[in-house]
Amino acid sequence: MSLLSETGKYFLLMERVFVLPDRQRMFFRQFPKELEKLGLQSLPIVIIISVFIGAIMTMQTKLNSSNPLLPTYTTGLVTRDTLLLEFSSTIMCLILAGKVGSNIASEIGTMRITEQIDALEIMGVNSANYLILPKIVAFVVMMPFLVIFSMALGLIGGYGVGLFTNIITTGDYLSGIQYAFVPFYVFYSVVKSLFFAFIITSVASYYGYYAYGGALDVGKASTNAVVNASILVLFFNILITSLMLN
Amino acid sequence: MIEVKNVDKSFDGNQVLKNVSAVFETGKTNMIIGQSGSGKTVLMKSIIGLHRIEKGRIEYDGRNLPDMQMKEIRILRREVGMLFQGSALFDSLSVLENVMYPLEMFSLTTYEEMKERAYFCLKQVNLEEKAFGLAPSEISGGMQKRVAIARAIALQPKYLFCDEPNSGLDPKTSLIIDHLISEITHIFGITTIINSHDMNSVMEIGENIIFIENGEKAWQGNNKDIFHVDNEALNGFVFASELYKQVKKANQ
């Protein structure tokens, strides 16, 4: 019953979010700020994690596949497909659910408990639309770039292993990442990430918007936002994968 | 003028407002007073429409709030200014931007005109120009209240609501804020409703006072009558402090 009522509340909030903004210029003023805050400020974590995971994946694949019958391009191929299919979209989104989700939930939650949202409502502003819509649109717009960037950096991380260690040669690695490339995987990954971006921002906004009490409750709302957004990302990952790859 | 007629409001079966009726007059500082938990905040939030009432009417110059659709409520709220207990200034905006915000949202004037109006409102509340570019967190509580008043009057509201305007302020600053609210009410002919349990404010600016006790209107009058009322609950509230007991003794 609680799940049902929470889901209903979420959709009612979304109904208020997805309407034309009262003042479009206010939306377009907020939108670049959100692009910067949610997208560009996520770049450092995307860079660090992608490069290191790409490198680790290459090392692990090579070190755990010592069978001489396996072709030399296997490591590059496995690294590339793992990055393209799951890491750069799903795992990266789970990480971003932590960063962006908690950021949104705590920001909106703080505005709620300090009566800033009430102030907007009293002014006659559709606070859900004004606060949440730019965040959702900005993150959905930024996500494909972050995903493609993560893919490229992951591959560079793997290349670094060939360059700086004796585990794999750069030649083997490069031939592996070019072998049997399926461009659809990139499309699939980007499509998934768009859904995930929506889930992360909307779920986090929901928990922030309905936060009540004090600082402790904002913390709880933030935790709930991250946990539930992550679960939904994983659930939709299975759903979208079975729809797109079957 | 705002008229509240036979309003009931309850939460989870607990009736907080019981058949409350009151008239809040235009151009006067109307005050809702009462002990903590008496229902005054619920009454104010019901009048603004943040709580949906179960029974009764809340008329803004004849327009009944409970009958309105959300869209109509939003339009009505553009005629409303509110000063929150914690000021509720937007953290991400500067002092000037906070005051300009409602103008940018709802007025069709140019940027220069909006800026001019914001300057006028900030000057009206005696805020120094050097504070205009600062963030709300960089100014004192009293200054935040002044900025909040400036923001509340930016769109020239017909109705001004103040929730505990003096909470957290020292007596001198409280007095300044009280007089500011009173002055603005009289200059612009606003219907002002102040929710307070500060007796100093009541005595300073209470022109029309509604005393709420256990969710019911127990008394209505002005700051001149309040000392001479034969109402046990009201007397318990008014003369709770030693200072007012002394004042009463001196009057007798």
Side-chain angles (χ1 to χ4, degrees), chain A residues 108-131:
Chain A
I108 298 180
T110 306
M111 287 188 78
R112 167 63 75 193
I113 63 160
T114 54
E115 297 179 310
Q116 292 177 50
I117 292 181
D118 287 340
L120 285 169
E121 286 292 325
I122 297 294
M123 282 177 203
V125 177
N126 177 349
S127 60
N129 173 270
Y130 173 73
L131 293 173

Side-chain angles (χ1 to χ4, degrees), chain B residues 4-5 15 27 30 46 62 64 85 100 143 163 195-197 211 213 224 244 251:
Chain B
V4 173
K5 294 175 182 170
Q15 195 166 0
N30 303 277
S46 300
N64 188 26
Q85 194 172 350
M100 282 179 73
M143 283 163 92
D163 186 19
N195 183 2
S196 180
H197 45 54
F211 176 65
E213 170 74 2
K224 291 181 183 70
Y244 282 96
N251 276 347

